[in-house]
Structure formats: C-alpha cells, structure tokens
Amino acid sequence: AMEESPGARIREGDCAVLKRGEVFKAVPVLRRRKIIFEKQWFYLDNAIGHIYGTTFEVTNGGNLQPKQEVEETTTETKEAGTDNRNIVDDGKSQKLTHDDIKALKDKGIKGQEIVQQLIENSTTFRDKTEFAQDKYIKKKKKKYEAVITIVKPSTRILSTMYYAREPGKINHLRYDTLAQMLTLGNVHAGNKMLVMETCAGLVLGAVMERMGGYGSIIQMYPGGGPVRAATSCFGFPKHYFDNLHEFPLSKVHSLLSGTFSTETLPSDPEDNALVEEESNGLTEEKQTSLQETEEEPTTEAPVEINQAEEQETMDINAEDVEFKENKEKENKEIVREKQMKQWERRKKLTETAALLREKNADGLIVASKFHPTPLLLSLLEFVAPSRPFVVYCQYKEPLLECYTKLRERGGVINLKLSETWLRNYQVLPDRSHPKLTMSGGGGYLLSGITVVLDKGKADSSNLEALKMEEPSPKRCKVQDLHC
Amino acid sequence: MSFIEYGDTIKDGDTAVVFLGHESMFPVKVQHGTVTQTKYGVIRHSTDLIGKKYGSKVICSKGGWVFILHPTPELWTMNLPHRTQILYSTDISIITMMLELKPGSVVCESGTGSGSLSHALIRTVAPTGHLYTVEFHQQRAEKAREEFREHGVDHLVTVTNQDVCKNGFGVSDIADAVFLDIPSPWEAIGHAKSALKAEGGRICSFSPCIEQVQRTCLAMEEYGFTEINTLEILLRVYNVRTISLQIPDLGKAAEDNSGTGFDSSSPSNQGSPGVNLQQGTVQFKSGVPLKEMVGHTGYLTFATKS
C-alpha cells in the first residue's frame, strides 16, 4: 500500500486542519460551505487542488488565495531606543482611532498595509527598543494579517488540537503522554492490538496511524458503540478499517467465563442516546472554569467514513405516501433491513469474540474515563505473555490501586507509574527562555509487561506485593530479589 | 523473533532479555550449547530457553528464577552496550510523534551512536519504510551494522560512515523526516533540507545546550523551515508505597474518637485511608517521587519544510 505523501493535494470531502499560529481546527472540505475560524469566516472552495501545507490569505469576500511570499523590505534605517525611561503611557500614542482602523478594513486594505499604518501613526514606536518593536509588529500582524495554513491531519496535529480545544473529550490526555503510550506499548505494523478508550477515538486513530493498516485492532467499547469522531478526522484509507474490530465491554465477563452468546446484543448505536461526546462535537460539555475565547467545536461534523454501522436516517413522511400498501411494503423493507443489519453485527461480533478467545494480543492500550483496575484485571487475560500494556488515567490515585491489584494478581512485571512534563521554549537571539506557561497536568501512565502466570503463585506474589510496599528502607532491599 | 515482529517461542539466534527483577535485566544472544551466568545460577540455552514461550519463568541452577522477555526497542534501549550517550524512550516517543513517523516513512538520522533511537525508528517505519543513518566514527558505524543484522532489521536500514556536516546524508529528495543528534547541528541543516522530499517533511534536532539550540534555530530559519518549536520533556517516575502516619496524641479521652478528626467507620476498601486507632496511625497509598530524577537530557527543536 502506498502511503500518502505530505505533498498530497486538498480534495473535496477530505478532512483538513486549519492552522493559524498555534491554533488548529479540523474541518471537512466542502464546496460553498461557510467556515468560521478564529473570528474569520471564509469558504474553502479555492483551497481545493492546492498542496497541503499551503498558506492562504482571506480576501474580503471570504475567499482564500495562496499567500504570496513577500520579501520583507527593511531597507529603512531602523531607529530604536535603548530603554523605556522616557516612554509614558498616556493612551494617546496611537494617532489612528478605532473608526479609522475599521474604515481601512472596510476598504479591503491588506492586513500588512494596516500594520504599516499603525506603526507610522504610533508616536512611541521609534523610541521603543528593537525587541519591543519586534514584539509590537508581531502582535499587530497576528491581529490584522488574516493568514491560514491548511495542513494534513496527523496524530501530532490532532492530539495537539484536542488537548488545546476540548481536553474534556479526551480525559485531559496531553499529546506527550499519548506519545509515551504509543512507544511504551510498542505499537507497530503487524501487531494485534487491544484498545479500550473513551477519548473520542483519538487514541484509536493514533494506534491506527502507527500500524499503517498492517495487523489488527480490537476496540473494546462501553455502551452502544465506539465513539470515533476523532478517528474520522485522520482521513485513513478504506483498507485501514478492514481489520478494525469492536467488542462491547459488557460482554467481556461472559466471554471470559465461557457463557458468551450473540443473542443479547447491546442496543444499536442509533437507538442509544450517547449524550456525551457525540460524534460531531455539537453537544458541548460543561467545562468548569474554562474560559473559552470563542464558541467553536474542535471538529465540525466529520466526513463520514465507510463504516458499516454509521447512522442512516429514514425520513418517512406520511403525507408523501399515497397508498397504504406502499407504506406497508416500506415498513417490511425497513424491518428486513434491520434484521439484515442485526445479523451482520452478530456475525462480526462472533468473529471478534473468536479473535479475543485466542488470548494472544500483542499489547493493550487503555485510556478511558472508567476506573482502570477492573478493565485491566479482565482485559489482560486476552494478552499474550511478554507483551507490553499501558494504562492512562487523568488521576494518580486509581493507578495506585491498579498497581496494587496487578501485583496481587501476578503475571505482570516491570510495573511503572509515571508522568511526563513538557516545557516549551522561546528561542530568539538574546531572548531565549522557557515559555511563560506550561501545562499543569497531562495525566499519568501505568505500564508493564505481561509474563506467563503461574496459577499457584498468586498468594505468594500477594505477600511479596505487600512486602514491596513497606516504606522502611530495610525492606527496599527485598525489591531487588524477584518481581 | 525480530525487533519488528513478535514471535511466540524462543529460537536459536534470537536476542532475548533476561529479567532478574526490579529494573535489573540484560540482553542475551540465544545459542545452542551456550550457558549464561546469573546471580540465581546458570541458564542452559538448549534446555532452558530454546523452544520455550517468551514471557516464561526459567528456574536457574541455584533455584532462583528469571523471566525471559521478547526484545523490543524499549527493552533494548535499557540494556544496550553504550558506545555513546544515548537517547531514552521518553525523548524517543515525542520525537517519533512530532516527526509524524509511521509505517512507510523514510527517515534520515545522524549520528547513529549506540543505535538506541535507530531501533525505535526502524520499528516504527517497518515494513515499508527505511532508515538512512549516518555515523562519522567508523567502528561505531560497523558495530551498528552488525547489531541491525543480528536483530533481523538490516533490510530496513542503511548505515553510512561519513561526516554529515560535510557530506550530508548521501540521499536527496527522499526523506519524510530528519533527525539530528550531533554537536553542531546547524552545520547540517542545509543537508537535512536537501535530504527531505521536495514536497516537504519534518525535522528534529536534539541538543543539550541552549547555545546549540539558538544556532540551530537561526539556521533553520535561514533555510526556510517553518513551525520552529523547541521543547523539553521530563519523565517523573513514582514508587507506589503504603504510608502510615501517626496520629498525634493531643490528650483526648480514648473513647472519644471524634476528636481525632478521622471517621473510623468509613469502609477502607475504596482506597480511603485506613485508620487504626489502637496503633494511632493512618494508612494510605501514595505515589512517591524517586529521590533523584533526570532533570535534563536535551532540548528538542522541531520544524517543518513545506
């Protein structure tokens, strides 16, 4: 399978990501459709056919045109002050009024021009230090130059976007934590992976990207069906979905105890009111104390992807139906179709159950809103020995308990509870320093490796686990024996 | 077995990892007739390893036991023979994601060093991608080639022995991503740009010192790279411990429990603190940070060629 190169062109129906500065937004590429992004509105029609990574300017009619590379004309001898001892803030340094600026905008004057005018009409600009001048220009450019870059979705971009815009939907999983999970889980082509996530399908998408369509994935889901809103933003080729299976969590116990049957399926996704994290970001979660600068969902209704069980809407309008028989025929059709679908789902479920029963998965990735302990204790049964597993949790405490319970169970080694910190830097000549804010919490990970479980050893390992946890330094030596 | 494909049973010629317990392990090359000494006694490859399942417990001659693990790039990173300072999995994971690597990606790397990152890159770009790695130290380049052969991944990697700053990566217009871990990365930015595909790609440079980062950023800007972003990632590991803290005796009457400020009737199963008034202690689980942690490995500077 040929991978799509970064030089791919923007096509109608793609899911693209808009980028302005550090802000991202995923949108479907559709003709004659108004997009609102960062307080600007425009149409994507003109972007179609251009290469991903192109930067566009927004014209007055909301059209996009590729930005011409302008050579910065800094021929003028720069005047600058050395310090701000004589700069007084009287609020009168800018000679242009709000109305003047608005008039310039209404005339359709280019953003660059407006910035130039602002500089020329600033009485203090020439007294500012060179650094302060740079900063002033940067700030004004950001405000008045309407440029947007259209980029191809990737785990890097989508995980950054989700963490910035809708962290609640992905349980505050920061992108560096997701990166750790993919590495700790040794996710690669050819694996048979087990994924349990309630992160809008972002973690699933990340795993799919790393597997490149080779191998298979079994996604365990709660409720009526897996949420894959973020997954559909990746724009994966069709064949990536050939070996993607799903299995309801509510059936795990019966599968492990051997009483599994497909007779009692969880209800259809469309019958199920998934209140939270609906697949189009229309239902906004109540975010506590998060000041949203603007009301824009991360993703607009994503482009539908060839999923067999995607919703279909049946509009039956009684007035359109002239004859009763017709209507009855239609009803029969619907019933038959429902039965067909049900049968199709059962067949799939039976196949997935068989895959799980082999108990030879190459890894387990968990990132959900549920308590990790019961998930781990059950799902690890499906994993082959000597394979990595990784559990994400937004909080540390559930993982402490999970750690203890896994030790009691045995069959795992090299357990590690960890967290990563991420620090971004501003790097500029003579002005390098860490960025002023860094993220407080990106969640915690518990990782380990499965080993062959001796059935008889559970008790002694329990004892060992208790020993392990005694804080006295004398006991620490015990750890060096066995795990 | 190979580093890019899981196998179930241990075979002659495999590289396996002997796990002795708490962070103590070492790699071993499995060979008929060979024995390996551990502190728990001898492991005989022919009888104790070959044909056994990966993840099995192996009883050694002195009665102690070890686990035999399937190799992964992460286990290799923890156990490889150091020929240079190496990159660890925390940095490797963010590098992999920020360079947007996946099966089929073509990557250029310099220097190869001890091959810690190389193994992780190969794992990620297999089965259809390729790694072009450049190392100016002849012995190190040769050693890396040997390791890749031994680990069954030599078809996915080309090792070139030359100076990347002078001669580049030996390829042009082919790479999706370039990674630099050399003392003067700013001297290789031009070569990196020509190694990357015409339609664009990603670059990352790893440097311990901020002065190196500054020069690199300037060079990146000069060569027209965009989205230049420098970051640092730190790993914090926690030990899980049960801690007991004493309740201070404030002279309250023993039968009056309310004065302790603890509700001893609360069920102590859901991780709520266990209060033991007889002993006058409160128990709880805690994730205790390690006494010492790695405070700095290096700065990672990423950028895009578009």
Side-chain angles (χ1 to χ4, degrees):
Chain A
M2 277 300 294
E3 296 302 324
E4 280 201 47
S5 61
R9 295 191 178 269
I10 301 166
R11 288 169 320 193
E12 199 175 355
D14 278 3
C15 178
V17 177
L18 309 175
K19 175 180 185 290
R20 187 177 177 212
E22 307 279 293
V23 185
F24 294 106
K25 182 182 186 174
V27 291
V29 180
L30 297 168
R31 290 186 192 273
R32 293 179 302 283
R33 181 170 164 173
K34 197 173 183 175
I35 302 274
I36 298 169
F37 176 53
E38 288 282 275
K39 299 191 180 79
Q40 297 180 85
W41 60 270
F42 48 88
Y43 296 89
L44 290 175
D45 300 49
N46 291 353
I48 294 168
H50 282 281
I51 289 176
Y52 275 106
T54 308
T55 301
F56 298 90
E57 275 179 293
V58 182
T59 64
N60 258 27
N63 286 315
L64 297 179
Q65 56 182 50
K67 189 174 188 294
Q68 308 301 324
E69 278 306 320
V70 190
E71 284 296 312
E72 298 272 327
T73 47
T74 45
T75 43
E76 58 204 271
T77 44
K78 267 199 175 170
E79 260 187 278
T82 47
D83 57 44
N84 59 12
R85 75 183 72 192
N86 297 321
I87 296 182
V88 183
D89 183 8
D90 55 3
K92 292 182 198 153
S93 56
Q94 182 53 252
K95 294 288 171 245
L96 290 180
T97 64
H98 273 291
D99 293 340
D100 295 340
I101 297 167
K102 195 174 174 303
L104 286 175
K105 274 204 220 164
D106 291 343
K107 265 192 235 164
I109 304 275
K110 277 222 165 98
Q112 242 175 329
E113 275 293 305
I114 297 177
V115 175
Q116 202 49 47
Q117 297 254 6
L118 285 168
I119 291 170
E120 280 163 23
N121 287 287
S122 163
T123 53
T124 49
F125 186 82
R126 269 174 303 150
D127 304 329
K128 287 179 193 275
T129 65
E130 214 175 315
F131 296 153
Q133 287 181 356
D134 270 356
K135 207 164 162 180
Y136 180 88
I137 294 169
K138 261 207 186 115
K139 222 162 86 181
K140 297 300 174 200
K141 266 191 175 168
K142 201 174 160 183
K143 194 167 171 181
Y144 294 102
E145 287 192 13
V147 292
I148 280 151
T149 308
I150 300 184
V151 293
K152 203 163 175 44
S154 66
T155 302
R156 166 177 77 97
I157 285 162
L158 292 174
S159 60
T160 309
M161 175 183 87
Y162 261 96
Y163 188 73
R165 295 179 81 96
E166 297 182 290
K169 286 209 172 119
I170 54 167
N171 305 299
H172 293 79
L173 169 69
R174 208 204 293 123
Y175 46 97
D176 54 310
T177 312
L178 175 60
Q180 299 298 312
M181 293 176 76
L182 296 167
T183 299
L184 289 170
N186 191 20
V187 179
H188 66 281
N191 270 7
K192 174 176 175 180
M193 288 301 293
L194 220 53
V195 177
M196 160 58 207
E197 64 120 282
T198 58
C199 295
L202 177 71
V203 175
L204 175 70
V207 170
M208 286 169 78
E209 186 184 85
R210 281 289 167 92
M211 288 175 61
Y214 303 91
S216 59
I217 303 171
I218 302 164
Q219 182 184 13
M220 316 300 282
Y221 63 86
V227 177
R228 291 177 182 165
T231 319
S232 58
C233 293
F234 283 82
F236 291 127
K238 256 197 169 67
H239 73 267
Y240 276 39
F241 293 88
D242 295 347
N243 286 312
L244 170 60
H245 311 270
E246 57 265 357
F247 193 83
L249 269 182
S250 56
K251 288 274 174 190
V252 167
H253 261 296
S254 66
L255 188 66
L256 286 170
S257 63
T259 57
F260 171 79
S261 89
T262 58
E263 290 310 305
T264 50
L265 280 178
S267 54
D268 244 318
E270 58 249 48
D271 306 342
N272 220 299
L274 285 171
V275 188
E276 253 188 313
E277 56 206 0
E278 237 332 346
S279 57
N280 51 17
L282 290 178
T283 46
E284 282 294 307
E285 217 180 302
K286 287 188 193 69
Q287 294 266 10
T288 42
S289 76
L290 262 184
Q291 292 231 313
E292 294 274 341
T293 43
E294 45 194 314
E295 284 289 311
E296 284 179 28
T298 296
T299 54
E300 306 210 338
V303 194
E304 285 299 60
I305 287 201
N306 58 32
Q307 298 253 248
E309 74 284 296
E310 281 305 350
Q311 60 254 55
E312 41 176 65
T313 48
M314 297 270 181
D315 276 344
I316 299 172
N317 197 334
E319 287 142 15
D320 293 347
V321 182
E322 289 195 24
F323 301 103
K324 240 188 170 169
E325 298 118 57
N326 249 0
K327 195 170 174 179
E328 269 169 24
K329 238 190 222 166
E330 269 187 48
N331 280 346
K332 270 190 191 141
E333 284 280 308
I334 292 168
V335 168
R336 223 201 353 248
E337 216 165 295
K338 269 218 152 124
Q339 280 175 329
M340 278 295 287
K341 265 178 85 173
Q342 187 82 333
W343 182 81
E344 197 52 48
R345 288 185 72 216
R346 278 199 186 142
K347 192 170 139 244
K348 273 182 148 175
L349 193 68
T350 310
E351 285 166 15
T352 310
L355 284 174
L356 287 167
R357 274 200 204 93
E358 294 172 350
K359 297 194 172 185
N360 65 351
D362 292 320
L364 168 66
I365 302 267
V366 176
S368 80
K369 60 184 177 191
F370 299 106
H371 199 295
T373 305
L375 286 173
L376 261 270
L377 291 178
S378 296
L379 298 182
L380 275 176
E381 299 285 323
F382 301 118
V383 183
S386 197
R387 298 293 186 270
F389 63 90
V390 194
V391 198
Y392 168 81
C393 189
Q394 194 187 334
Y395 309 100
K396 203 198 290 176
E397 290 73 11
L399 292 178
L400 297 175
E401 203 216 336
C402 192
Y403 177 100
T404 311
K405 285 282 189 295
L406 284 178
R407 277 229 176 280
E408 285 171 19
R409 171 190 180 269
V412 293
I413 53 166
N414 213 29
L415 283 183
K416 202 177 226 163
L417 175 58
S418 67
E419 173 195 18
T420 45
W421 283 2
L422 191 68
R423 196 164 203 187
N424 279 289
Y425 285 81
Q426 168 182 297
V427 180
L428 290 168
D430 299 328
R431 284 161 293 163
S432 299
H433 58 71
K435 290 249 172 86
L436 298 182
T437 55
M438 68 185 263
S439 153
Y444 299 86
L445 295 177
L446 177 63
S447 61
I449 302 170
T450 56
V451 288
V452 175
L453 179 62
D454 324 355
K455 290 295 176 210
K457 224 202 112 261
D459 292 343
S460 58
S461 70
N462 184 2
L463 219 113
E464 205 141 354
L466 293 175
K467 273 190 211 158
M468 285 280 308
E469 293 197 51
E470 299 227 356
S472 69
K474 254 188 254 165
R475 287 287 188 204
C476 288
K477 291 280 190 295
V478 173
Q479 289 176 36
D480 298 338
L481 297 175
H482 326 297
C483 244
Chain B
M1 171 301 308
S2 102
F3 273 63
I4 51 164
E5 212 173 348
Y6 280 118
D8 287 336
T9 52
I10 304 165
K11 294 185 179 64
D12 193 13
D14 279 5
T15 299
V17 176
V18 178
F19 184 90
L20 298 135
H22 195 68
E23 297 271 302
S24 138
M25 47 186 144
F26 59 87
V28 62
K29 192 162 166 48
V30 180
Q31 276 175 307
H32 262 298
T34 308
V35 294
T36 298
Q37 298 286 350
T38 76
K39 58 180 174 183
Y40 303 124
V42 167
I43 301 171
R44 298 181 195 288
H45 291 209
S46 305
T47 51
D48 297 339
L49 298 183
I50 294 172
K52 289 256 169 59
K53 241 182 145 83
Y54 273 110
S56 303
K57 186 185 275 190
V58 170
I59 313 284
C60 307
S61 59
K62 291 182 194 165
W65 40 261
V66 297
F67 284 107
I68 307 295
L69 301 180
H70 194 289
T72 65
E74 286 59 55
L75 286 174
W76 182 248
T77 289
M78 283 193 270
N79 296 294
L80 55 79
H82 283 224
R83 300 184 283 272
T84 54
Q85 178 65 270
I86 63 161
L87 279 169
Y88 288 93
S89 297
T90 311
D91 284 305
I92 288 172
S93 60
I94 196 95
I95 289 164
T96 308
M97 185 164 101
M98 291 297 181
L99 287 180
E100 302 189 337
L101 302 182
K102 50 183 188 269
S105 298
V106 175
V107 194
C108 291
E109 177 201 26
S110 187
T112 315
S114 310
S116 168
L117 175 70
S118 314
H119 278 83
L121 295 176
I122 292 166
R123 172 266 316 274
T124 303
V125 305
T128 47
H130 201 84
L131 171 67
Y132 294 91
T133 184
V134 176
E135 170 62 54
F136 68 178
H137 187 285
Q138 201 199 323
Q139 262 177 312
R140 283 206 290 260
E142 201 38 61
K143 199 85 192 81
R145 276 195 200 107
E146 204 178 302
E147 264 170 15
F148 295 139
R149 260 198 306 276
E150 232 168 62
H151 297 160
V153 294
D154 48 326
H155 58 296
L156 296 164
V157 53
T158 307
V159 184
T160 311
N161 174 216
Q162 63 187 32
D163 181 347
V164 74
C165 297
K166 287 200 183 74
N167 314 94
F169 291 93
V171 291
S172 62
D173 193 13
I174 189 174
D176 297 295
V178 171
F179 176 81
L180 293 168
D181 180 3
I182 52 173
S184 50
W186 57 91
E187 292 176 5
I189 299 297
H191 295 299
K193 191 179 179 179
S194 54
L196 284 164
K197 285 177 179 165
E199 62 255 38
R202 295 274 293 162
I203 185 172
C204 173
S205 168
F206 174 94
S207 295
C209 307
I210 196 76
E211 291 82 0
Q212 293 168 299
V213 175
Q214 292 190 315
R215 298 178 77 164
T216 306
C217 285
L218 284 175
M220 283 177 177
E221 207 155 338
E222 204 178 309
Y223 280 99
F225 282 91
T226 56
E227 277 193 287
I228 302 171
N229 174 30
T230 300
L231 55 82
E232 173 182 41
I233 185 166
L234 289 177
L235 178 70
R236 285 176 63 81
V237 178
Y238 298 96
N239 277 324
V240 181
R241 296 262 179 268
T242 302
I243 310 284
S244 29
L245 289 182
Q246 275 196 333
I247 301 169
D249 177 8
L250 299 173
K252 280 260 180 220
E255 62 271 14
D256 180 14
N257 291 347
S258 58
T260 59
F262 291 106
D263 181 9
S264 54
S265 63
S266 71
S268 57
N269 51 2
Q270 278 302 305
S272 63
V275 182
N276 186 334
L277 290 170
Q278 266 68 47
Q279 284 178 20
T281 59
V282 179
Q283 280 204 331
F284 60 93
K285 280 201 195 312
S286 175
V288 184
L290 305 187
K291 254 213 204 69
E292 246 188 12
M293 61 173 266
V294 176
H296 179 68
T297 52
Y299 300 104
L300 290 163
T301 302
F302 295 92
T304 304
K305 173 190 175 181
S306 49

